[in-house]
Amino acid sequence: MVATVPLLLCGLVAGAACSRPARARRAFHFWRTTFSLTAGEKEVLRQHHVERLYLRLFDVAWDYATSRSLPVGRCAFRDTVPTGLEVVPVVFLSNAVFEHQPDPALAGRVWGLTRFSADQAGFTFSELQLDCDWSDSTREAFFAFCRSLRELATQASVRLSATIRLHQVKYATRTGVPPVDRGMLMFYNMGQLGPAPARPSIFNVKDANRYASFVNAYPLPLDGALPIFSWAIQSRDGKVVGLLEKSAAASLDAVPALRRLDACRFQASEATFLHGAYLQAGDTLAIESVTPELARQAATTLGRHFHPRGAFAISLFDLDERNWKTYAPQDLEALWSAVR
Amino acid sequence: MRLKIWKLFGLLCASLLVAAIPRAALACGWSEPEVDELTFFAPEIIRQPNALPFFYRPYSSFFVPDRTPADLTALNLREWDEFFQHKLPSKDWSELLYPAALPRLDNLIFALQGKPDHRPGADDAPFMAYTDREPLIAALCYVGFAKRVEPFAMEGFAEWDWSGERRPVDRTARDKAIATLIEAGGKALAAAKIPFLRQRYALQILRLHFYRPDPAAGVKFYQEHQSDWTGESSVTWRAIGYGAGCLRKANRKADAAGLYAVLFDRFPPMKVSALTSFRPKEEREWRDSLAQASSVRQRTVLWQMVGILTGDPRAIKEIYAIDRKSDLLPLLLVREVNRTEVESRVTQDSPTKERPALISFIESVAKKGDVTDPFLWDLAAGHLRALAGDSAAAKRLLLRAAGRAPQDPVIQRQLRVSRLYATLQGMREPVPADEPMLARELKWLKQEAEKNHSTRLSSFLIWSRERLASLFLKHGDVLLSLCLADENHPLYKDPTQIERLIQFLRKPNKSAFEQFAAASYARNESSLRELQALIALYAGDIPKAAALFEPLKTDALNADPFVIHIRDCHDCDAQDPHHKRYSKTEFVRRLDALLRQAAAEPAKAAELYFEIANGLYNITYYGNSRVMYDNAHFDRTPPTYDCSHAKAYYRKAMEISKDRELAAKAAFMIGKCELNAYITAHPDHLDYAGGAGFAALRDSYPDTRYYKEAIRECGFFAKYLEKSKNGR
């Protein structure tokens, strides 16, 4: 007995020294309304042994004309999901849905349409993710919806997860913790949007550090999402009027109506349509890009504060080739490896 | 995950506009104000009813709930009624055309054809009675085809519905089914002799093409069958819509834009859908659309569509440059005026500072007058100058507008509103000589607002009153100011000043303006007299309060104000079915009676003082009858948080009471008053050290039953005793 204890202790110490930190399951988000992968996107999934795809299946919006919630922007599947890739369908719900009279049938409808859509697209799923930036006034309604949906999902052995934004991590007591099985921490969109913001709004270390220390204490098991996207903040007369997604500075140089002001800013010298937006003469565009270096900073910052217990995934937002084509393979590898 | 542009814009506008909303529009929770609440310029003056969905709205999309389905259905039924020469009841045909199932339809066709074993249904009598069987049967066969097309057409709309119960769609089988239907439809089309039905067959086939993955085939079909869609029937326009859709899917966006422009320009039921389908994504697409415009008209329509979609005032200038007489200009003009009004409220800046180029353009066009309705431009320019505070320029422009405006009541009303607006914006101080005119105009405005149930005119009336109120206040006339636009003013703390206001309301022979002001005042004499009475009561002057309350008919209190407990439970008191009920007047009358009785019967004074104290306690914030001070403008802080009057009577009761239990109660209640004062001053109230009341109860009445009850029920007192024992 006496000899056993030191042996046990040694065993424990040896075990601790020999145990490997958990490895992140590699994932991407897919956020287009048509599911169709380019050759490059297929290759990046293969090359990096990506295991999981968080795929936006549809949104739920509030239709003011008929006073009810409706599914919109359903993902149309032109391709099949690559073999071996696990799909986590994501349903985005606008806050407005929960600002109105609660609909007890909503959870059943979301569940039904998710299963129907997955059937139609030819994939099965063991996790369903909800994306909703709930507020103080919609918290109870959203959480009630989560409880109902979780019951349905559990019966089908499906986990339910929800996106968790940074302010919800830091102020969990006030914002509440949704009644789901897991959270997906969105480690981006942390700064103030503005025509000439002091710090980038997608990711910056200073704002990240205000939230990151709260991550490990969050009462749900978490996965993480890191940014690799870019956008352009459209401003007019000093006010932000829009966002152009996936807008890189290099591509804007080719637009005749735009004049470059500096490394990251352009101004419309005449009115022009651009990628679905409309710029009036004089509007400015301030580009924010998550470069490989910035993405690595994001991953490192998260990695310093986030030590998951159990299996977890790190997803890059998002798979669109325009986002990662400036990343070398090792740049992407570093992002998945940063959290252990 | 993403921040949608529309949501961002809405949030930004919402946050900026909160400060600018008129007082009357504010409610407990903020909701998006309608544009009618934010603007004084009525876009209806352009007299284009089909423009309604496209009037400027700062928050909602300009899409009013789409009129299209109802309009198109009604139009379609009228066309069918013409076809049947008004001999088939429209209600019966509508039932067959829309909800009736295929089996019924097929059976009816067979019955009309005289096929054995096919009897008409109970509702088929009107069809059996219709004498011209051949076209009827041909029409029914068409309807059968259309009903077979419909599921494929509606499949896209399942996007907008919760249809998780449906089985997954086999796309190959679906496309094959569509191809089969197209073939069958083609044969029916070839055989159709009646142009009315040919058009419709062709439309259904085009619809099927639109829902196939081969838009080029749809484009080909549309172009080959354009001659089938002649005239201005709904089918023609719907075919144009599908043709445009096929062109767009085939990436021939400029060609599609041309058709959308035609639809937008000439078929009101599909204006909204044409505009939403049009949306250029890149500049090249837009320029190609313009370059391919087949006429001056089409170019101007395209510019109007872009102007509405993007809000860029450039559109109005482009149309003006192309065709000064264009009837498309007025809508963009009134949109710009409304936009400027809304933005000025947000930024609090003058439009001449914010949008000088636009103002300059509108004024130059107004001056030239080379447009179709030059008065509109004068009116718009005048209104914007009024908004900018340039009253003189505004009035000049409005005078010119009046000289050339038609006698249309909507236009004349706007002229009068804009003139009044210019006058009020230009006023720097109240001028007695202006009062008769102001009285006349404001009275008219109020009548117009009520007669027309107009939110816009009501908003303008409120604004006008507030504007005048601020001028009167600035120049010392508080009474007129408060009547025009009431607010929390120090006058309401002073009974003498309140009396002045009452006397003004009672004044005989008021001028027209004074009459208007008095009629605008939201309160009445009774509520002001109650206010005077409350001031006296909360100052502790019971006899004066009773005298002031006596003539007043007042609301009931919701509990017995003379009951008291160690631990307050207001709901319990209110819900007690046996509680004595008092109106405010009856309560104060009783207080006064108790006071006089206490003076007259000293032996009972302790109990009477205790009861008075309870009443005074319960009409504070801490008591069960705080509705006592429900009166707009009664200044609740500090009097309603002040238990000192109650405390004084509890002290009197304690000091003279021969009943030790009563004295103990009074001591405790003194302590409670002191505790309330402490809590008010220290919201965390963590370290209450007790006061004279608790000390008196502890020191002088430890032998009473009440003392023991207080320990049991009042945690503060129990803790106080414990600290006392421990010498803290």
Side-chain angles (χ1 to χ4, degrees):
Chain A
M1 178 63 171
V2 172
T4 312
V5 171
L7 277 172
L8 278 173
L9 281 174
C10 286
L12 280 169
V13 168
C18 293
S19 71
R20 286 191 206 136
R23 183 187 70 84
R25 293 194 71 184
R26 289 148 177 244
F28 267 103
H29 273 76
F30 184 91
W31 217 250
R32 297 198 290 260
T33 48
T34 302
F35 185 78
S36 170
L37 297 176
T38 64
E41 287 162 1
K42 286 178 185 165
E43 177 55 24
V44 86
L45 291 173
R46 189 200 64 77
Q47 187 182 20
H48 292 283
H49 309 289
V50 174
E51 299 157 81
R52 186 183 277 187
L53 201 63
Y54 290 90
L55 190 153
R56 189 203 67 86
L57 208 57
F58 58 91
D59 294 356
V60 181
W62 182 256
D63 182 42
Y64 287 91
T66 54
S67 295
R68 55 188 181 133
S69 305
L70 289 174
V72 297
R74 283 171 63 178
C75 187
F77 284 81
R78 299 276 178 256
D79 270 347
T80 50
V81 175
T83 314
L85 194 60
E86 181 197 348
V87 174
V88 174
V90 182
V91 174
F92 174 84
L93 302 110
S94 78
N95 214 15
V97 165
F98 299 105
E99 284 167 1
H100 296 88
Q101 191 65 19
D103 177 2
L106 184 61
R109 291 195 181 114
V110 169
W111 180 242
L113 187 57
T114 301
R115 291 182 57 184
F116 169 70
S117 304
D119 264 346
Q120 198 173 26
F123 66 84
T124 57
F125 58 97
S126 57
E127 181 178 326
L128 165 61
Q129 188 161 102
L130 304 176
D131 183 358
C132 176
D133 188 7
W134 75 89
S135 60
D136 287 347
S137 62
T138 60
R139 180 176 71 196
E140 286 316 311
F142 174 60
F143 285 10
F145 166 79
C146 290
R147 278 189 285 274
S148 301
L149 187 53
R150 194 178 184 190
E151 262 185 56
L152 294 166
T154 305
Q155 284 166 24
S157 304
V158 169
R159 283 189 309 278
L160 186 66
S161 60
T163 53
I164 308 292
R165 286 151 174 82
L166 287 163
H167 69 96
Q168 290 157 345
V169 164
K170 184 170 178 181
Y171 301 109
T173 313
R174 204 188 76 212
T175 64
V177 177
V180 295
D181 300 302
R182 301 187 67 81
M184 165 67 85
L185 174 66
M186 296 160 59
F187 203 63
Y188 48 89
N189 288 5
M190 48 189 67
Q192 289 284 350
L193 277 174
R199 298 187 289 280
S201 58
I202 299 178
F203 176 81
N204 69 83
V205 174
K206 184 169 177 179
D207 286 320
N209 281 332
R210 288 170 42 217
Y211 297 99
S213 57
F214 295 88
V215 170
N216 235 31
Y218 196 71
L220 279 179
L222 291 175
D223 300 303
L226 293 167
I228 56 170
F229 62 92
S230 62
W231 61 28
I233 301 170
Q234 178 188 1
S235 302
R236 181 178 304 145
D237 299 327
K239 294 183 281 281
V240 175
V241 296
L243 281 176
L244 278 71
E245 295 181 344
K246 298 187 178 43
S247 296
S251 67
L252 296 181
D253 278 319
V255 178
L258 294 181
R259 179 171 65 92
R260 190 188 266 268
L261 296 176
D262 56 40
C264 298
R265 290 189 315 135
F266 292 79
Q267 186 168 47
S269 50
E270 55 183 355
T272 186
F273 284 95
L274 180 66
H275 308 329
Y278 182 79
L279 278 66
Q280 292 189 22
D283 283 2
T284 57
L285 292 176
I287 316 294
E288 287 193 17
S289 291
V290 180
T291 59
E293 176 52 37
L294 192 61
R296 198 187 284 251
Q297 279 184 27
T300 310
T301 308
L302 181 63
R304 267 206 303 278
H305 297 280
F306 179 39
H307 306 294
R309 303 174 286 281
F312 68 100
I314 293 292
S315 181
L316 306 185
F317 191 99
D318 63 83
L319 179 61
D320 193 302
E321 198 166 334
R322 289 172 289 178
N323 288 333
W324 51 258
K325 64 181 180 195
T326 56
Y327 285 61
Q330 58 268 33
D331 293 326
L332 294 176
E333 284 292 322
L335 303 183
W336 284 303
S337 310
V339 179
R340 301 196 157 256
Chain B
M1 284 272 188
R2 59 239 154 117
L3 201 53
K4 287 191 180 180
I5 291 171
W6 61 265
K7 184 181 167 189
L8 168 67
F9 184 71
L11 284 170
L12 287 169
C13 282
S15 61
L16 288 170
L17 262 160
V18 168
I21 298 168
R23 272 190 271 172
L26 286 170
C28 301
W30 190 84
S31 59
E32 298 162 354
E34 294 293 328
V35 69
D36 297 19
E37 294 171 36
L38 302 171
T39 59
F40 304 147
F41 192 78
E44 291 83 359
I45 58 171
I46 66 174
R47 296 172 297 173
Q48 293 178 6
N50 293 323
L52 173 63
F54 310 106
F55 289 157
Y56 178 71
R57 286 174 179 81
Y59 300 111
S60 330
S61 155
F62 55 80
F63 308 138
V64 294
D66 199 345
R67 305 180 315 174
T68 307
D71 284 354
L72 276 180
T73 303
L75 193 50
N76 193 31
L77 287 171
R78 277 200 299 276
E79 288 165 4
W80 278 106
D81 192 44
E82 289 277 344
F83 175 73
F84 290 120
Q85 300 171 309
H86 317 291
K87 291 177 188 168
L88 196 60
S90 201
K91 181 173 89 54
D92 295 307
W93 182 247
S94 172
E95 154 72 25
L96 202 68
L97 191 59
Y98 295 113
L102 271 171
R104 180 191 161 196
L105 184 69
D106 290 343
N107 183 65
L108 177 58
I109 292 171
F110 292 137
L112 284 165
Q113 287 172 335
K115 291 205 167 134
D117 300 328
H118 289 281
R119 294 216 187 131
D123 296 329
D124 292 339
F127 304 104
M128 299 307 293
Y130 189 76
T131 50
D132 212 347
R133 284 218 170 169
E134 202 183 311
L136 174 61
I137 291 171
L140 289 169
C141 288
Y142 160 73
V143 173
F145 178 70
K147 282 184 186 289
R148 286 169 172 87
V149 170
E150 201 62 14
F152 297 105
M154 292 313 292
E155 209 179 76
F157 285 90
E159 171 87 8
W160 295 90
D161 208 344
W162 299 99
S163 49
E165 300 83 24
R166 289 190 298 125
R167 283 198 302 276
V169 171
D170 175 345
R171 294 221 174 264
T172 309
R174 173 190 176 275
D175 288 348
K176 195 171 169 197
I178 290 178
T180 306
L181 260 182
I182 288 175
E183 196 184 333
K187 286 179 184 159
L189 175 62
K193 300 186 197 68
I194 306 172
F196 181 87
L197 297 178
R198 276 191 65 83
Q199 277 194 340
R200 279 161 165 74
Y201 272 114
L203 172 67
Q204 296 299 337
I205 297 167
L206 179 60
R207 282 177 99 198
L208 286 167
H209 276 295
F210 178 74
Y211 292 112
R212 292 179 81 193
D214 180 10
V219 171
K220 185 165 180 281
F221 182 87
Y222 172 72
Q223 288 170 338
E224 284 171 357
H225 288 270
Q226 277 186 284
S227 58
D228 282 318
W229 298 301
T230 54
E232 305 261 321
S233 75
S234 66
V235 175
T236 299
W237 299 112
R238 291 173 66 197
I240 290 175
Y242 280 106
C246 289
L247 282 163
R248 192 163 177 83
K249 281 186 171 185
N251 213 26
R252 290 174 56 178
K253 292 176 181 168
D255 294 325
L259 290 184
Y260 286 131
V262 168
L263 216 45
F264 180 79
D265 186 25
R266 295 172 53 192
F267 191 50
M270 289 182 72
K271 271 177 103 74
V272 172
S273 58
L275 185 62
T276 47
S277 302
F278 163 62
R279 291 187 178 269
K281 288 208 163 24
E282 302 294 346
E283 184 65 12
R284 176 68 186 268
E285 182 187 332
W286 165 238
R287 286 179 191 248
D288 287 349
S289 304
L290 268 182
Q292 279 181 224
S294 59
S295 62
V296 164
R297 178 70 185 181
Q298 199 170 90
R299 273 174 58 215
T300 51
V301 169
L302 285 167
W303 272 113
Q304 193 193 50
M305 291 166 84
V306 158
I308 296 168
L309 277 174
T310 66
D312 191 348
R314 177 188 172 199
I316 196 174
K317 294 177 186 172
E318 294 286 347
I319 295 176
Y320 180 73
I322 296 168
D323 177 9
R324 291 170 189 210
K325 298 288 186 188
S326 174
D327 63 341
L328 302 173
L329 285 166
L331 172 59
L332 295 181
L333 174 66
V334 297
R335 281 179 57 91
E336 291 309 320
V337 176
N338 285 154
R339 182 199 308 279
T340 307
E341 288 185 279
V342 171
E343 287 179 2
S344 281
R345 276 179 182 260
V346 173
T347 62
Q348 300 286 306
D349 269 333
S350 163
T352 46
K353 187 178 164 213
E354 288 280 303
R355 311 187 80 191
L358 174 74
I359 307 254
S360 171
F361 172 72
I362 294 175
E363 288 183 355
S364 81
V365 172
K367 189 173 177 187
K368 283 184 215 155
D370 55 356
V371 288
T372 301
D373 284 322
F375 78 90
L376 275 178
W377 297 75
D378 290 325
L379 184 42
H383 193 88
L384 288 172
R385 281 288 172 187
L387 175 63
D390 188 347
S391 183
K395 284 179 178 172
R396 274 197 306 275
L397 288 158
L398 293 170
L399 186 62
R400 194 168 68 197
R404 18 194 201 187
Q407 289 305 308
D408 181 283
V410 172
I411 294 167
Q412 292 299 318
R413 184 163 65 223
Q414 184 58 53
L415 271 168
R416 199 164 170 181
V417 162
S418 295
R419 261 199 306 269
L420 178 58
Y421 188 38
T423 301
L424 291 170
Q425 286 279 74
M427 282 176 71
R428 295 291 165 257
E429 59 185 345
V431 173
D434 286 340
E435 286 180 16
M437 175 275 295
L438 287 172
R440 186 182 64 242
E441 293 304 294
L442 290 170
K443 190 173 164 193
W444 165 83
L445 182 59
K446 184 168 186 286
Q447 283 166 350
E448 285 292 297
E450 285 166 4
K451 188 174 78 184
N452 295 284
H453 307 289
S454 167
T455 305
R456 180 172 272 115
L457 292 176
S458 297
S459 297
F460 180 54
L461 177 62
I462 290 166
W463 177 89
S464 302
R465 281 167 37 194
E466 288 175 354
R467 171 91 179 121
L468 285 168
S470 71
L471 287 172
F472 278 109
L473 188 65
K474 200 170 159 186
H475 288 85
D477 194 331
V478 173
L479 300 186
L480 276 178
S481 174
L482 291 179
C483 284
L484 287 165
D486 201 11
E487 60 173 40
N488 249 345
H489 189 273
L491 173 145
Y492 290 113
K493 293 186 191 178
D494 183 344
T496 310
Q497 295 300 317
I498 296 171
E499 190 61 33
R500 276 186 59 222
L501 183 50
I502 292 171
Q503 292 312 314
F504 170 73
L505 293 174
R506 297 182 96 184
K507 176 184 165 185
N509 304 319
K510 291 189 188 61
S511 69
F513 187 76
E514 285 173 334
Q515 280 177 38
F516 175 80
S520 298
Y521 187 53
R523 308 190 61 180
N524 56 28
E525 183 179 333
S526 176
S527 118
L528 289 172
R529 292 233 176 267
E530 184 184 297
L531 181 57
Q532 289 175 314
L534 285 171
I535 292 171
L537 179 64
Y538 282 85
D541 190 341
I542 293 174
K544 185 170 181 186
L548 288 169
F549 262 111
E550 196 54 44
L552 303 178
K553 212 166 156 208
T554 52
D555 292 336
L557 301 178
N558 50 6
D560 184 344
F562 296 105
V563 302
I564 205 75
H565 315 283
I566 293 176
R567 287 168 68 148
D568 295 326
C569 176
H570 303 161
D571 288 342
C572 305
D573 293 346
Q575 286 162 14
D576 177 1
H578 304 297
H579 81 75
K580 278 199 191 144
R581 295 177 193 282
Y582 295 87
S583 67
K584 293 183 185 182
T585 302
E586 288 165 342
F587 164 68
V588 182
R589 189 186 298 148
R590 174 148 176 78
L591 276 181
D592 190 44
L594 287 169
L595 196 59
R596 282 185 276 110
Q597 191 183 359
E601 300 179 50
K604 292 183 180 171
E607 293 152 26
L608 297 168
Y609 286 145
F610 188 79
E611 200 172 341
I612 292 169
N614 290 345
L616 292 174
Y617 180 90
N618 275 321
I619 61 168
T620 67
Y621 170 78
Y622 307 99
N624 66 13
S625 297
R626 55 170 93 138
V627 299
M628 184 78 200
Y629 56 74
D630 268 359
N631 182 303
H633 300 320
F634 179 66
D635 188 5
R636 299 175 183 194
T637 311
T640 61
Y641 294 91
D642 179 10
C643 297
S644 59
H645 300 301
K647 183 178 165 185
Y649 281 97
Y650 283 129
R651 181 166 295 286
K652 282 186 179 180
M654 183 182 75
E655 284 168 356
I656 65 174
S657 177
K658 294 188 171 42
D659 177 350
R660 287 178 57 72
E661 291 292 339
L662 179 66
K665 281 186 192 175
F668 176 78
M669 287 307 299
I670 291 169
K672 208 163 157 187
C673 291
E674 289 164 340
L675 174 61
N676 289 341
Y678 180 81
I679 288 171
T680 302
H682 306 89
D684 56 5
H685 55 277
L686 291 176
D687 206 15
Y688 181 56
F694 280 2
L697 181 59
R698 177 195 62 193
D699 297 338
S700 304
Y701 306 102
D703 56 319
T704 60
R705 278 193 315 277
Y706 195 81
Y707 176 86
K708 295 180 179 60
E709 248 180 87
I711 294 172
R712 220 171 29 244
E713 290 200 34
C714 179
F716 280 105
F717 184 60
K719 213 170 183 176
Y720 166 77
L721 289 180
E722 201 185 305
K723 280 184 187 171
S724 303
K725 275 189 202 141
N726 298 338
R728 283 184 280 153

